Every structure is written in C-alpha cells, then in structure tokens.
Amino acid sequence: MLPLFPENTKLWPKQDHPQILQEFPCENFQVQVLAAGFKQLMGELRAGRYDTWDWYQLAKRADELVTTHGQAPGLLALQHLKERWEQVGVVPYQHQIRTAERVIHELHGQAILADEVGLGKTIEAGLILKEYMLRGLVKKVLILTPANLVWQWYSELYEKFGIAAGIQRTQWDWEFADVLIASVDTAKREPHCSIITGIVYDLLIVDEAHKLKNSSTASYRLVNSIQKKYCLMLTATPVQNDLKELYNLIGLIKPGQLGSSRSFKSRFMEDKRTPKNPAELRKLLSEVMIRNRRQDGQVTLTERIVHPVVVTLTPKEQEIYNRVTEFIKARGKRSGVSNLLPLITLQREICSSFLATALTLEKLMAGLSPPELEQAALLLKDLAEVKQNSKCDALERLVAQFSDKAIIFTEYRASQEYIRYRLERAGYKTLAFDGSLSRGKKQWVRHLFQKEAQFLVSTESGGEGLNFQFCNLVVNFDLPWNPMRLEQRIGRVHRLGQTRDVHIYNLITKGTVEEHIMYLLHRKINMFESIIGELDAILLHLNLAKSFESEVMRIFLEHETAEEIQAHLDKLAQRILSGRAQLKASAWEGLL
C-alpha cells in the first residue's frame, strides 16, 4: 500500500508558490499540490494503487479539521432530497437532522440511534445512508431487520430517499445487491452467514438492535463478525434489565469503548441495574450513542381521542358467554395455571365472535375428558344456533357515522371474515389484511386502501411493519389483553407524519372480561394518553413471572366476583405505574 501523498505533494500555508498546479481551498486550510506531485498522484489513482482505507481516513480527517476550525458542513442530502420530500410530504424534524449531522461529523458513522419509540430512527438512518452515498463513501450496504419490518424499510428508503434497495430472497443476493435488506433470522443461518462474513460492507444498519443484547446468541455473533466501515444500531431500549446488555451493544459498535467485560463490571456496575461513576460512563456513552426523547420537546404528536363504545349482549348471548366462562374457569382450576394459553384464547374470543370461539373449542375437544367433552359439545351446538352478533350490530351503527377511512382491528381470522361479510353486505368496500399475505401483497393492499377502499379489516399480524398515517380512525373490535399489542395497533397511524388527531373507538362488551380489561388499560394506567413510547420498557422493567396475559388470566380464574377481580387489577395497575416511576428514576435510565 502506497503512502497517502507522494513526496512532492505537500500541505502549504496560504501563500503563492511558482510551481503550484492545483489548489484545494477551504476557509481555514489549503491543500496545494506541486505540478510533479499532481502528475504522480493522478497516475497512481488511475492505476488503482491507493487503498480505500486511506481515502476514508482522509475524508474523516477533513471533517475533523473543518469541524475544529470552522462551521461544520451541512448535509448534502437535505438539498438533494428537497424536491422529493415536497412531493411525498416529508418534513424532517430538527432532532433528526441534528442526529444525522452528529453521526457523520462527530461519531464518524459509528452510532447507536436510541430515540424513544416513534421519533423517526428510520428517517435518521436513511438520511445518514443517503448522505454517505452522495459523498461517495458508501456503496455496499447491508440492512438487518426483523422479518416483519423488511418491507417497511424497502418502501421508506425508496419513497423518501430514492434508494432502490434489494430484498434478500436467495443466497446469491448477498454479493450482487449493493443495498440489501434482509431478516436477521435468515442472515444468521448457513450458508448465508458464511457468505455475509466474507463480504466487506461500507455500512451496516441493524434495526431492533436490543435483540442482540445476549453475546452468546447466533445473531450477536453474526453482527460481531461482519466486516464494516460504518455501523448504525437502532433501538428504543438499549438497556432492558441489565447494564451488561448495554456493554454488549456498545461492543458491536466500538469494541473497547467501555473496556474489557471485567473492567466494565468493576468500574461501572454497582449491581446489574445500578451504575457506578455515572458521569464518566455517560461521557463514554455519548461518544457512541444518541437518544432523543419526547419529553425534551423535540417533537409533538397529534392528540389521541378515545371513544369507548359499550355493547350490551342479548340475553341469549349473555347466557352463552357465562356458560363458556364457567367452562374455562372449571378447566383452568383442574389443569392449573401452567397451560393457560388455550383458555386465554377462548376467553378472549368469546368477547369477539361466537364463530371464533366455536373453532377454538372444537380444537380443544381432542384433549378433554368425557364429562368435559359432553359439556363442550353442548356448548358448540348452542354457539352455532346464535344468529345475532350484537358487537357487529354496534360496529355497523358506528361506521355509518364515518366519512373517512378506518382500520378495524381484530385478533382472530374468523372474526375478520365475519366483520367483512357484515360490512360488505351493508354496502361498504373492505379489504383484508393479515399475516398470511406476502410482503408484496401487503404493500398492494395498503395502496388499495389508500386509494379506494373505506375500511381495512386487519388482524394483529397483518398490522405489523406498515404505517398508515393517511388514516386517522382506529376501531378495536376486540381488545388485546397485552397493552403493548394495543399500542402497536394505534402506532400504525399515530406516529410522525400524522397531521390529524387520531380517534380510537373501543368496542367493549358489557358484563364480560373485556369490561375489566378496559378498566385496567384506560381508567387505571391511562395508556391511551400518557404511556405511549414507554410501555415496552416498563413491562420489561417489571419482569413479570408470566406474560401479561397470563397475569390477567390468573386474576380472572382465581376470583369470582367483579369486585374481587377489579381489586386485583387495581394492584396490577399500581405495579405498572410504580414500574414507570422506578424506570424514570433509575440510575441507568439517567445515563441515556
């Protein structure tokens, strides 16, 4: 490898020189190349004898000099993308621009983007990528993301940045695509892993990077072994339960930044959640991590307006509901709380549609004892005979008031099909959105919804990975028990780019477990208005022995009266609110 400059190429002060052929001026310093040196330099460049790392170091040093001696240069991408952003309606926020400038000019392309949920980390990463591409510093790019976000990355890069990325489908794509988006789960398997680690990338981007917190996993080993010049990690929760997770994540970006594992533990860990020397640790983190928060006034989202829609069941429906609930409670007491999932599903479905309940009950019958089997068969018969669905009746009355598009969420495919049948029969144009659709079909359905249909009936899995800021009405036909699932639904429309207030309509069947869930989520923890962006961290901080759904189901099984159930839900709500306060006051959260 040749030295960066030939001998007769020099850095001169600003003064005349008779042999100067070319000048590269700047406000505070000047590169002057002698005629002989320029000729030799051009010859070596044409021969391709300069190592790319030299040019990377030169560009990095130039940025440092300009930043040190004068005003930091702006972003080329902002002017380049101005017309496109006007066409697609993108207005970059100041915190996003500042983040991109800092990553490029101060952190030299090695950074953890740790903004809170919904503040636009993908926009920041896209802006950094575009800037490096315009500067000629990045060509070969790998973006690793959970499978359900692959298509979102593709559409965001193309629509907002004019970057035509490839989506990995075969093992040949790794080498031949300049900008490639792939799922982490695919990348960590062979033969893909061996191919990836043999390629030198200009830029690696990893979304949902907190999933790499464990250094013994295949995903962590893969990312650690990838050869890259620049690297961006995106996560809203860089610390979840243990400061060692933060150490592992920083090690992927900048090995040695926090010392060895042993020295980090002795210097910076009082225990797994309490840091020592926080000022020193915060300084080290600031050299590799950027975190923007809502509370800092960086961005203001539109309002969420919640509308509870109470549904009263007919006497026949209420009787069937009570009998199914009694069956579930009896079954739960016999089998214990070790295998609650089928019972949780059944208890939630009975508040959604009898059709969904019947299908699950039929599957459950294979493992029942003769007395239980007889009871289940009778329930199936009675479920089939109920022709009315009071909840769908209420839905029809509700949507008749809408003059705009709405997303109707349900957790169950059977309920989804029944809702569409009822709405189509009433004369509305609907579309189905669920996890069985391919990435291309999901994007096509989204396009049709934006241009033509009035209602999109979506299951939980269907709603993942795509954003619908053009819509501001959300109907929860049934309520998920886990508040994070509910937050994810609302987050499809209530996010950066939404210009209108978001109206959320929750259909709640009176006299059922759904009433208790609404009491917990809305009245007690006020998650619709105040918890946004914090809930995932709070639930992780609580470290529940079982899942959130299991915790609720245990309360429901162990207590008979509505008053007892409500009292214990109050205690669960208090744990959540206390967890929130502890999280905000925790020493390690202050580090971020």
Side-chain angles (χ1 to χ4, degrees):
M1 183 175 68
L2 291 171
L4 187 57
F5 292 108
E7 289 180 7
N8 47 4
T9 303
K10 302 181 183 299
L11 292 175
W12 295 85
K14 286 188 175 180
Q15 58 186 19
D16 293 332
H17 192 286
Q19 298 180 39
I20 289 175
L21 174 69
Q22 186 61 271
E23 293 186 353
F24 302 95
C26 185
E27 185 179 350
N28 295 287
F29 70 96
Q30 186 175 42
V31 179
Q32 298 180 333
V33 184
L34 299 183
F38 185 75
K39 184 177 179 181
Q40 182 182 346
L41 183 62
M42 295 309 296
E44 300 296 354
L45 282 171
R46 290 190 183 100
R49 294 179 61 192
Y50 284 96
D51 191 277
T52 55
W53 181 253
D54 284 340
W55 293 107
Y56 161 66
Q57 292 288 75
L58 177 61
K60 176 179 171 182
R61 180 60 183 147
D63 272 350
E64 288 172 351
L65 285 168
V66 175
T67 303
T68 302
H69 298 292
Q71 185 71 28
L75 298 178
L76 302 174
L78 292 178
Q79 189 61 35
H80 181 87
L81 293 168
K82 184 178 179 182
E83 186 176 342
R84 174 179 288 271
W85 282 356
E86 286 174 356
Q87 290 173 352
V88 299
V90 174
V91 180
Y93 289 82
Q94 283 304 308
H95 75 271
Q96 295 169 334
I97 296 171
R98 285 196 299 270
T99 295
E101 287 176 339
R102 189 171 168 223
V103 168
I104 290 167
H105 300 313
E106 296 178 33
L107 307 186
H108 311 301
Q110 312 284 344
I112 296 173
L113 305 182
D115 293 2
E116 285 184 344
V117 173
L119 292 188
K121 293 184 288 294
T122 309
I123 296 292
E124 292 168 356
L127 189 55
I128 293 163
L129 168 58
K130 188 69 176 182
E131 183 70 18
Y132 275 137
M133 292 176 84
L134 290 173
R135 292 180 179 213
L137 293 172
V138 161
K139 183 181 179 185
K140 189 73 172 173
V141 181
L142 177 61
I143 300 168
L144 294 178
T145 175
N148 63 304
L149 296 179
V150 166
W151 189 264
Q152 181 179 317
W153 269 93
Y154 172 85
S155 58
E156 292 260 319
L157 290 179
Y158 182 75
E159 178 185 324
K160 295 175 180 173
F161 299 97
I163 298 171
I167 293 177
Q168 187 275 327
R169 291 185 176 88
T170 72
Q171 68 183 68
W172 313 111
D173 295 331
W174 303 112
E175 295 188 76
F176 291 107
D178 282 339
V179 180
L180 188 65
I181 307 166
S183 81
V184 179
D185 288 337
T186 299
K188 70 185 181 185
R189 297 196 302 265
E190 293 294 352
H192 309 292
C193 182
S194 295
I195 297 170
I196 294 167
T197 53
I199 298 170
V200 179
Y201 291 98
D202 296 315
L203 173 62
L204 171 67
I205 299 174
V206 182
D207 199 4
E208 302 290 331
H210 52 270
K211 295 182 178 178
L212 303 175
K213 62 185 180 181
N214 188 341
S215 59
S216 64
T217 62
S219 299
Y220 185 97
R221 290 195 298 271
L222 166 70
V223 172
N224 196 37
S225 62
I226 293 176
Q227 304 175 72
K228 64 267 187 189
K229 185 164 69 175
Y230 304 120
C231 184
L232 300 176
M233 301 274 181
L234 282 60
T235 174
T237 50
V239 182
Q240 294 179 328
N241 282 306
D242 192 334
L243 281 166
K244 189 67 187 293
E245 298 164 3
L246 184 63
Y247 174 83
N248 290 337
L249 204 57
I250 299 290
L252 290 172
I253 287 283
K254 200 170 182 182
Q257 174 72 4
L258 301 178
S260 67
S261 177
R262 182 177 294 179
S263 68
F264 174 77
K265 191 171 182 179
S266 63
R267 284 175 65 197
F268 297 119
M269 289 180 66
E270 197 76 57
D271 56 48
K272 71 177 187 176
R273 294 190 181 189
T274 310
K276 288 193 291 189
N277 305 319
E280 183 184 355
L281 182 53
R282 190 180 298 112
K283 181 178 182 301
L284 290 172
L285 293 178
S286 70
E287 295 172 8
V288 75
M289 182 186 295
I290 300 173
R291 183 168 175 85
N292 295 302
R293 291 184 174 91
R294 282 186 182 82
Q295 66 195 47
D296 299 334
Q298 304 279 11
V299 61
T300 304
L301 293 176
T302 58
E303 293 294 319
R304 290 181 174 190
I305 303 167
V306 184
H307 308 271
V309 180
V310 178
V311 179
T312 303
L313 298 177
T314 64
K316 179 65 175 174
E317 288 176 306
Q318 188 70 55
E319 181 207 343
I320 294 287
Y321 170 83
N322 292 339
R323 286 171 56 199
V324 171
T325 300
E326 287 166 11
F327 172 82
I328 290 168
K329 287 198 171 190
R331 175 79 178 155
K333 286 171 183 174
R334 277 193 294 272
S335 61
V337 294
S338 57
N339 187 25
L340 286 178
L341 186 58
L343 300 180
I344 292 172
T345 302
L346 204 57
Q347 186 65 63
R348 288 187 303 182
E349 283 175 333
I350 193 65
C351 296
S352 179
S353 71
F354 287 178
L355 176 61
T357 309
L359 292 173
T360 299
L361 187 58
E362 191 175 22
K363 291 176 187 174
L364 193 64
M365 287 172 70
L368 298 180
S369 63
E372 290 175 325
L373 193 60
E374 185 180 344
Q375 186 183 3
L378 188 58
L379 277 173
L380 267 180
K381 177 178 176 294
D382 290 342
L383 283 166
E385 289 177 355
V386 178
K387 302 303 180 186
Q388 187 171 0
N389 186 304
S390 296
K391 208 173 213 184
C392 256
D393 295 343
L395 177 66
E396 284 190 35
R397 291 193 296 271
L398 174 66
V399 301
Q401 304 169 31
F402 293 167
S403 58
D404 207 345
K405 299 178 185 296
I407 302 178
I408 300 167
F409 277 107
T410 177
E411 291 202 70
Y412 311 106
R413 290 287 296 276
S415 297
Q416 179 194 40
E417 290 171 10
Y418 184 68
I419 292 166
R420 290 195 68 209
Y421 161 73
R422 289 285 299 267
L423 292 179
E424 295 274 356
R425 192 180 68 176
Y428 300 105
K429 185 168 184 181
T430 72
L431 291 165
F433 208 64
D434 59 67
S436 68
L437 298 177
S438 66
R439 287 189 292 258
K441 285 182 179 176
K442 281 186 178 182
Q443 190 68 18
W444 177 241
V445 170
R446 180 186 183 277
H447 171 77
L448 290 176
F449 177 45
Q450 186 171 10
K451 300 297 181 185
E452 299 177 19
Q454 186 175 358
F455 299 124
L456 182 72
V457 186
S458 177
T459 63
E460 223 78 47
S461 56
E464 292 177 350
L466 287 176
N467 300 327
F468 298 87
Q469 291 98 323
F470 57 83
C471 172
N472 74 321
L473 302 178
V474 175
V475 179
N476 290 306
F477 185 78
D478 42 55
L479 284 175
W481 289 13
N482 189 327
M484 265 312 296
R485 305 287 290 276
L486 190 52
E487 177 59 47
Q488 286 159 3
R489 287 181 179 184
I490 300 166
R492 302 276 60 86
V493 300
H494 191 242
R495 58 194 304 113
L496 288 184
Q498 177 58 263
T499 58
R500 298 176 289 174
D501 290 342
V502 172
H503 292 265
I504 303 150
Y505 296 86
N506 299 310
L507 272 65
I508 305 133
T509 45
K510 190 176 180 181
T512 71
V513 67
E514 215 163 43
E515 213 175 0
H516 295 301
I517 297 299
M518 188 62 182
Y519 169 81
L520 172 66
L521 300 182
H522 186 34
R523 290 186 57 188
K524 296 308 293 182
I525 67 173
N526 198 24
M527 66 153 290
F528 291 101
E529 286 84 17
S530 63
I531 295 286
I532 177 175
E534 306 170 71
L535 203 55
D536 52 351
I538 293 169
L539 294 178
L540 284 162
H541 179 74
L542 285 177
N543 202 18
L544 298 172
K546 299 280 185 182
S547 69
F548 190 91
E549 293 96 325
S550 296
E551 198 79 11
V552 173
M553 190 64 179
R554 182 188 60 76
I555 292 170
F556 193 66
L557 286 177
E558 291 178 359
H559 305 282
E560 294 295 331
T561 68
E563 291 75 16
E564 288 176 327
I565 292 170
Q566 195 162 300
H568 283 81
L569 288 177
D570 282 346
K571 291 179 181 177
L572 178 59
Q574 192 53 49
R575 284 183 65 191
I576 293 170
L577 295 174
S578 298
R580 183 188 186 200
Q582 290 166 13
L583 191 64
K584 285 183 175 296
S586 65
W588 57 259
E589 175 68 11
L591 292 171
L592 307 180

